[in-house]
Amino acid sequence: MKALILVGGFGTRLRPLTLSVPKPLVEFANKPMILHQIEALKAVGVTEVVLAINYQPEVMLNFLKEFEASLGIKITCSQETEPLGTAGPLALARDKLIDDSGEPFFVLNSDVISEYPFKEMIEFHKSHGGEASLMVTKVDEPSKYGVVVMEESTGQVERFVEKPKLFVGNKINAGFYLLNPSVLDRIQLRPTSIEKEVFPKIAAEKKLYAMVLPGFWMDVGQPRDYITGLRLYLDSLKKHSSPKLASGPHIVGNVIVDESAKIGEGCLIGPDVAIGSGCVIESGVRLSRCTVMRGVRIKKHACISGSIIGWHSTVGQWARVENMTILGEDVHVCDEIYSNGGVVLPHKEIKSSILKPEIVM
């Protein structure tokens, strides 16, 4: 089987982290986002992954070369010269996706974190005999999304309603599809939307089916959702009694700590924290609801909550960093500084407090 991952553009919503690496390579729970997906695809027998990308393909490919070997999966790029929307990239990668097997192929949105129930999706697709399957997930506020209206018992999709004003249902497109090769005959090589142009036509022919995603779902393409997604992901690890979760007197709730990180005396860490490789957390530090990326040093008695600390940054003694503060790569927060929602671009030194959410160039 093959899979296409829609990587797309610049990752502007996750700046300043994406100023240093393409968004799919930003770590989520100590692993590049895209690797969560590639590993899950490999586990259900996918042998080749195509990345649809229009930005920095060489950075992506160089990085993923080492994983090609260790995972034993072929990874290639299909590069757009102009943005092609969500369906155009399928037409562009047509020759890479089609072979003689006639097997269906996966299409994934690269920002989505979940338990990736691809095995169940393959079984569902085979059972209904239609042309295309998509995953849907239930949300509390469907008006922000495109809602999928479906026949409950069979999963047959009736129609799509984009950002509904009146309640038509609470199931939205989760960004995972399993498509027969014949779907490619419906897509022209031009900027086009799979949700607005391709799927409605398949639904009109009663050949599109939706399956409700079991477990959690989050699009982690922006900081607030990234931090929420980490909580859901760690909850899921807990539910499955994962050995990845840290334990000890200084750990509260669900936490993952890379084995190469060092943690000092008297710290309190958690809930919902990820600490990356080579980090040094000095004594008396308090961390909650945050991600601390590779190579970061947090000095004594600093307090960080609801924030993302980018690679190789330092946070000074007694500093307080909170309320969706995002530090880019190599940012140095001086001792006793307060950051309330500061978004700091890479390679900066912060010598005075950031009292209200703002971007620091």
Side-chain angles (χ1 to χ4, degrees), residues 144-221:
K144 293 197 312 196
Y145 303 95
V147 171
V148 180
V149 181
M150 56 192 263
E151 171 23 63
E152 289 297 321
S153 56
T154 60
Q156 191 179 313
V157 174
E158 293 165 14
R159 60 198 168 105
F160 291 81
V161 185
E162 192 55 42
K163 301 198 167 88
K165 294 279 181 286
L166 295 167
F167 186 84
V168 291
N170 65 346
K171 296 182 191 70
I172 65 162
N173 175 354
F176 302 146
Y177 319 128
L178 189 53
L179 311 177
N180 286 354
S182 58
V183 172
L184 292 168
D185 299 335
R186 300 173 178 267
I187 304 172
Q188 298 170 326
L189 182 51
R190 59 178 176 86
T192 163
S193 159
I194 200 164
E195 301 86 354
K196 293 180 184 150
E197 297 180 59
V198 182
F199 282 161
K201 288 184 181 136
I202 304 177
E205 294 175 24
K206 304 202 182 317
K207 292 180 181 171
L208 178 65
Y209 289 80
M211 171 182 161
V212 178
L213 180 94
F216 77 98
W217 176 90
M218 200 71 211
D219 178 328
V220 294

Side-chain angles (χ1 to χ4, degrees), residues 14 17-29 31-34 36 226 293 308 311:
L14 212 48
L17 301 170
T18 47
L19 296 173
S20 300
V21 298
K23 182 169 59 178
L25 302 185
V26 172
E27 286 94 345
F28 176 86
K31 187 190 295 179
M33 284 189 202
I34 201 160
H36 289 273
Y226 178 105
M293 293 191 174
I308 302 174
W311 310 270

Side-chain angles (χ1 to χ4, degrees), residues 250-262:
H250 57 296
I251 302 286
V252 183
N254 300 331
V255 174
I256 50 172
V257 180
D258 186 275
E259 56 196 20
S260 63
K262 295 186 172 61

Side-chain angles (χ1 to χ4, degrees), residues 85-244:
T86 51
L90 279 73
L92 186 66
R94 181 189 176 107
D95 296 343
K96 292 179 188 277
L97 293 171
I98 288 212
D99 53 23
D100 305 331
S101 73
E103 285 285 322
F105 59 89
F106 283 101
V107 178
L108 313 184
N109 249 333
S110 69
D111 294 350
V112 174
I113 290 289
S114 79
E115 289 172 12
Y116 305 121
F118 296 148
K119 185 164 166 284
E120 295 86 332
M121 198 173 183
I122 294 170
E123 287 161 7
F124 173 74
H125 186 75
K126 285 182 177 151
S127 72
H128 66 64
E131 197 174 355
S133 302
L134 78 154
M135 282 277 189
V136 293
T137 185
K138 293 177 181 172
V139 291
D140 297 334
E141 272 187 76
S143 60
K144 293 197 312 196
Y145 303 95
V147 171
V148 180
V149 181
M150 56 192 263
E151 171 23 63
E152 289 297 321
S153 56
T154 60
Q156 191 179 313
V157 174
E158 293 165 14
R159 60 198 168 105
F160 291 81
V161 185
E162 192 55 42
K163 301 198 167 88
K165 294 279 181 286
L166 295 167
F167 186 84
V168 291
N170 65 346
K171 296 182 191 70
I172 65 162
N173 175 354
F176 302 146
Y177 319 128
L178 189 53
L179 311 177
N180 286 354
S182 58
V183 172
L184 292 168
D185 299 335
R186 300 173 178 267
I187 304 172
Q188 298 170 326
L189 182 51
R190 59 178 176 86
T192 163
S193 159
I194 200 164
E195 301 86 354
K196 293 180 184 150
E197 297 180 59
V198 182
F199 282 161
K201 288 184 181 136
I202 304 177
E205 294 175 24
K206 304 202 182 317
K207 292 180 181 171
L208 178 65
Y209 289 80
M211 171 182 161
V212 178
L213 180 94
F216 77 98
W217 176 90
M218 200 71 211
D219 178 328
V220 294
Q222 48 196 355
R224 191 171 297 278
D225 296 337
Y226 178 105
I227 287 175
T228 302
L230 181 64
R231 172 174 63 79
L232 297 173
Y233 174 83
L234 295 174
D235 278 349
S236 163
L237 290 185
K238 176 79 173 170
K239 202 171 76 195
H240 296 105
S241 312
S242 169
K244 291 182 188 165

